[in-house]
Amino acid sequence: MALTFLSIGSNLGDRVFNLERALLAVESEFGHILSRSAIYESQSWGYEGQNFLNMVVHVETFKNPIEVLQAIRQIETSMGRIKTSGNYADRPIDLDILFYNHEIFKSEQLSIPHPHLQNRLFVLVPLMDIDPDFTHPLLGLTIRELTDICQDKGWIREFGEIK
């Protein structure tokens, strides 16, 4: 049994409905959601686009990191995500593996911990809701410490919760 943190975001269509669909798909495809953050709204990151709704979930799974990645890609595709190479773009759903236990994992397809999470308030702030004392296995800093030193200048505000 493994514990993983996932980031879920949406900025196209009915964003709340997309998050709800993704949560149901995560539970049916690969894991039990133990906890989830509030939903936060933030500006698009890395490009000019629609505002995102983002949240983080803590998931218990029997799948290994590559199997989780495959399930995530299947969920994204089924929800209309079209992968673009190299550029950020608006999308109905975006799921990322942030942490998998306290492991460090690298392959051609996947890097865990997510290599950019410490630079993104839209990930760190929701992580604070779930586990502010979780220690990043590479950086040796807690989520609270990473949030305090994050250089991200974008805005983020609480949007609410999914009932």
Side-chain angles (χ1 to χ4, degrees):
M1 183 70 65
L3 298 174
T4 185
F5 288 95
L6 304 176
S7 173
I8 306 174
S10 174
N11 80 332
L12 279 183
D14 184 335
R15 299 173 303 164
V16 172
F17 178 72
N18 291 341
L19 295 178
E20 290 171 339
R21 265 185 75 194
L23 291 171
L24 290 172
V26 165
E27 288 238 313
S28 69
E29 295 299 321
F30 66 89
H32 172 67
I33 296 173
L34 300 172
S35 58
R36 58 189 183 188
S37 72
I39 299 170
Y40 292 87
E41 186 170 28
S42 63
Q43 65 193 79
S44 57
W45 196 94
Y47 73 105
E48 293 293 323
Q50 305 286 333
N51 291 343
F52 269 86
L53 292 185
N54 295 289
M55 67 186 307
V56 169
V57 293
H58 196 199
V59 179
E60 184 178 59
T61 184
F62 284 108
K63 295 193 182 258
N64 67 44
I66 295 297
E67 291 169 331
V68 172
L69 178 64
Q70 290 167 342
I72 282 171
R73 286 182 175 163
Q74 182 177 8
I75 292 167
E76 289 177 332
T77 299
S78 73
M79 290 183 65
R81 167 107 188 242
I82 299 169
K83 287 280 189 183
T84 58
S85 62
N87 296 326
Y88 295 108
D90 292 331
R91 47 205 174 268
I93 200 69
D94 181 37
L95 290 103
D96 287 308
I97 302 169
L98 303 175
F99 298 108
Y100 186 91
N101 291 325
H102 283 87
E103 295 177 23
I104 298 166
F105 180 89
K106 254 201 191 313
S107 73
E108 285 185 27
Q109 302 170 287
L110 180 64
S111 291
I112 301 174
H114 189 286
H116 304 293
L117 74 90
Q118 67 275 6
N119 303 318
R120 298 174 175 174
L121 284 176
F122 69 85
V123 172
L124 293 170
V125 171
L127 268 168
M128 286 283 294
D129 285 354
I130 297 174
D131 195 348
D133 297 317
F134 184 87
T135 301
H136 191 295
L138 280 173
L139 302 177
L141 298 171
T142 66
I143 299 305
R144 180 179 285 109
E145 292 167 326
L146 290 171
T147 303
D148 287 344
I149 64 171
C150 183
Q151 301 292 313
D152 186 350
K153 301 298 183 208
W155 59 266
I156 183 168
R157 63 178 167 240
E158 190 167 340
F159 186 81
E161 295 186 16
I162 294 176
K163 303 297 184 231

